[in-house]
Amino acid sequence: MTTPTRIGVIAVTAAGRRTAEQLRLAWPERVEAIQADSGAQALRDAFGRCDAVVAVMAAGAVVRVLAPLIAAGDKATDPAVLVIDETHRFVVPLLGGHAAGANRLAGEIAALTGAQPVLTTATDAAGLPGLDELGWLAHGDIAGLTRRMLDGEPVTLATDATWPLPSLGPAVTTVTAGAEEASTADVRPDLAISDRTDADATVVLRPPSLVAGMGASRGVPADEAETLLRDTLRDAGLAIESLAALATADVKADEPGLVELARRLGLPLVTHPADRLAGVTVPNPSEVVRQAVGTPSVAEAAAVLGTGRTSGTLLVPKRAAAMSTVAIARHAPRGRLAVVGLGPGSPQTLTPAARDELRRASVVVGLDQYVDQIRHLLRPGTRILSSGLGQEEERAHTAVARARDGHAVALIGSGDAGVYAMASPALEAADAGIDVVGVPGVTAALAAASVLGAPLGHDHCYLSLSDLHTPWPAIERRLRAVAEADLVLVVYNPRSAKRDWQLDRALELLAEHRPPHTPIGVVRNATRPDQQSWLTTLADADTSRVDMYCLVVVGSSTSRIVGGRMVTPRGYRWMP
């Protein structure tokens, strides 16, 4: 889906102008307040030169002004058009919901202003991704196939490889190993994902699977290089829309003809050092090229190296024109693993980034009780792989394996997934062959601290009292170090039915270095409906009330209770 970068905001009242200024301050590089003699003229100006038009006006007025421009325009090039009311109750995409990014922008504006986004596109209402919002070119009967998907009719998918896409819905089933084979099969697929121009389906999606390696003499014309590239792709039956990048040698990074060609195609120009190119075995090495740039191959080797993330398979060996060469390689898709922190449990503490990743995934892996928390946020057809307590490593390995298969996977954990959670076992198992995205979450420590007051206002540390993964002697050494360093201590896994003495021992060690009145805060089920909290001291602590749903915060020697809240002063004193 497109993300608008040039946003024109039109406002005709004082309240509307305040909204426009709010958007401009939030996104100064993206937002421009459009000035004109009238609101109607401002709308027309913005429609002609912006990626998105945001009108703080009545929807009917906007429709009347823009209707002639829309009728004469083209869905593929029209900007996104949205309206928002002056009191920020609703933000409504009117035009370009998917293709122009209006729905995405509505979500951004809603997060900024508190407005409710009103999405009327059918796929959003059904929780399905639009075929035209996957970020790839789609051609064919998109509207017809989308309607069938929305109606739950069976849809057959043929694909050359597994791509990390969100779930397309339970009605979509893969019927062949590849779109190329499907084009000659008896049954024409409904949907194909292929870089082949002969792929035949109701709708064909063009994945970013190809890289063109380009060699060039100094001063090569962009027109020559473009003609060579287009002819080569056409003759090989490959779609130019599936090009992910142009690649060449470092010494050609500033070659004007190649830079211009990349600009025309809207592609990155990726460069590689000569020694890396020289390490690639190619069918057509050249001693002349070696003497000129330090590698026997530029076009073929650069195509294989691609963007530097994976090595590709050379599909089209080097072809040459007067001043340029080109070769084409296909690169296998990389799976995607998002390690997502869900926060401490309240829906209000689940971040927008976490929500986005859950809807971005086709596979979700997690502890069964955590899956239950977010099941309603998943797209229809998302595959759920859940398991119980004690199977953390199995879940981590399962998530990595599904990502290696090419899927978009979300591995979920409570709090922040990197704090006593799933990120570390998953990343121990993950290699460089998959893309990994970390999505931070509100940790239990931060949630509990916000309930207690400001106990983490100065230096502090986290420590788990569970000896299932760490021997108790090591935990005790760390406790002594924390006590001697006078750090605020946040205690995870403080006490369970089988581990009922460790917290008492920890408090004994801390008491050797801290006064009896040192405050202790305990929070149970932070941010959840049954949240509880209480304050006590080292001298009066009753650990029998503590269980595994609790987080215990032990103050330093400077921590104190102020107004019924636990505070650790930092001592802000500005020195001259």
Side-chain angles (χ1 to χ4, degrees):
M1 182 192 293
T2 300
T3 299
T5 56
R6 293 175 300 164
I7 304 170
V9 182
I10 295 90
V12 295
T13 66
R17 286 189 287 273
R18 286 193 293 271
T19 297
E21 180 64 6
Q22 182 180 359
L23 297 179
R24 189 192 67 78
L25 290 173
W27 305 312
E29 297 180 355
R30 299 171 63 192
V31 169
E32 175 188 357
I34 306 298
Q35 306 294 332
D37 293 338
S38 67
Q41 186 57 50
L43 279 169
R44 287 189 285 267
D45 291 348
F47 191 89
R49 61 187 176 88
C50 295
D51 298 325
V53 179
V54 178
V56 194
M57 300 169 61
V62 174
V63 170
R64 288 190 186 95
V65 172
L66 295 183
L69 301 179
I70 296 170
D74 181 352
K75 178 179 179 180
T77 58
D78 283 343
V81 177
L82 305 88
V83 294
I84 181 171
D85 65 281
E86 294 177 339
T87 58
H88 300 172
R89 292 176 303 164
F90 305 107
V91 54
V92 186
L94 298 179
L95 186 70
H98 291 159
N103 289 357
R104 180 184 293 274
L105 182 56
E108 293 183 50
I109 293 174
L112 179 67
T113 64
Q116 175 67 40
V118 181
L119 306 184
T120 58
T121 42
T123 50
D124 290 282
L128 297 175
L131 296 176
D132 55 354
E133 67 169 330
L134 297 174
W136 302 346
L137 177 73
H139 64 81
D141 185 9
I142 298 171
L145 184 58
T146 299
R147 173 52 55 192
R148 289 177 53 194
M149 294 169 65
L150 291 170
D151 289 343
E153 295 182 23
V155 171
T156 55
L157 166 65
T159 177
D160 295 329
T162 301
W163 288 88
L165 295 173
S167 171
L168 299 178
V172 178
T173 57
T174 302
V175 294
T176 64
E180 191 169 349
E181 290 84 351
S183 65
T184 60
D186 293 335
V187 180
R188 181 175 183 250
D190 300 303
L191 178 64
I193 300 175
S194 178
D195 56 27
R196 298 284 309 175
T197 55
D198 60 0
D200 184 26
T202 304
V203 174
V204 178
L205 294 172
R206 298 298 188 197
S209 54
L210 305 176
V211 173
M214 303 290 298
S217 301
R218 183 60 62 186
V220 61
D223 288 345
E224 178 195 300
E226 181 174 0
T227 298
L228 176 63
L229 173 60
R230 289 183 178 276
D231 288 349
T232 300
L233 289 167
R234 182 199 62 221
D235 294 346
L238 298 171
I240 194 169
E241 297 86 0
S242 282
L243 279 179
L246 305 183
T248 189
D250 280 352
V251 295
K252 298 297 179 182
D254 59 350
E255 180 61 46
L258 296 184
V259 173
E260 169 61 15
L261 176 57
R263 187 199 65 78
R264 290 180 185 178
L265 298 176
L267 296 172
L269 180 62
V270 180
T271 65
H272 301 285
D275 58 345
R276 284 207 65 204
L277 295 170
V280 179
T281 301
V282 298
N284 300 295
S286 168
E287 188 59 33
V288 173
V289 174
R290 183 196 298 276
Q291 292 177 5
V293 296
T295 172
S297 172
V298 173
E300 291 177 336
V304 170
L305 289 180
T307 60
R309 299 163 68 219
T310 58
S311 291
T313 301
L314 192 65
L315 294 183
V316 183
K318 179 174 64 177
R319 291 180 57 171
M323 299 179 68
S324 56
T325 58
V326 66
I328 310 296
R330 177 182 286 145
H331 290 253
R334 292 166 60 89
R336 190 174 192 274
L337 174 64
V339 187
V340 181
L342 302 181
S346 167
Q348 284 73 33
T349 57
L350 183 67
T351 67
R355 292 175 185 270
D356 288 347
E357 285 298 336
L358 292 173
R359 294 181 65 76
R360 172 75 174 74
S362 60
V363 180
V364 171
V365 182
L367 180 68
D368 45 18
Q369 63 191 51
Y370 297 153
V371 169
D372 289 341
Q373 291 177 21
I374 51 84
R375 192 183 297 270
H376 63 289
L377 299 175
L378 306 180
R379 292 191 186 276
T382 301
R383 185 181 180 191
I384 297 173
L385 303 176
S386 61
S387 54
L389 285 169
Q391 301 179 54
E392 288 78 12
E393 288 193 5
E394 178 183 335
R395 285 196 292 276
H397 291 166
T398 296
V400 172
R402 296 292 77 77
R404 285 200 188 106
D405 290 340
H407 298 287
V409 182
L411 175 63
I412 62 174
S414 66
D416 183 279
V419 179
Y420 297 121
M422 296 304 300
S424 54
L427 299 192
E428 280 185 302
D431 55 28
I434 60 174
D435 294 329
V436 176
V437 178
V439 183
V442 177
T443 68
L446 298 181
S450 70
V451 173
L452 295 173
L456 308 183
H458 210 326
D459 296 337
H460 56 276
C461 71
Y462 302 170
L463 197 150
S464 170
L465 294 188
S466 173
D467 55 4
L468 296 176
H469 304 286
T470 305
W472 179 255
I475 296 174
E476 190 159 315
R477 286 195 301 273
R478 294 168 187 173
L479 282 166
R480 292 183 184 278
V482 170
E484 293 174 3
D486 197 23
L487 298 172
V488 175
L489 175 62
V490 181
V491 180
Y492 278 73
N493 304 311
R495 190 172 184 274
S496 69
K498 295 182 178 179
R499 295 184 300 98
D500 59 358
W501 58 269
Q502 285 90 341
L503 180 58
D504 289 313
R505 176 56 179 159
L507 298 182
E508 289 175 7
L509 294 173
L510 293 169
E512 294 176 5
H513 297 271
R514 300 184 190 181
H517 62 268
T518 298
I520 294 176
V522 183
V523 181
R524 189 176 192 275
N525 285 334
T527 78
R528 300 184 184 189
D530 56 347
Q531 171 185 294
Q532 296 175 290
S533 66
W534 61 92
L535 296 171
T536 183
T537 65
L538 266 176
D540 298 328
D542 178 7
T543 60
S544 65
R545 299 178 64 188
V546 177
D547 60 19
M548 287 292 286
Y549 296 97
C550 294
L551 205 74
V552 178
V553 182
V554 183
S556 69
S557 62
T558 63
S559 301
R560 56 182 185 265
I561 305 299
V562 180
R565 290 175 287 271
M566 185 175 176
V567 179
T568 303
R570 191 175 182 191
Y572 285 100
R573 296 182 182 88
W574 303 109
M575 304 300 291

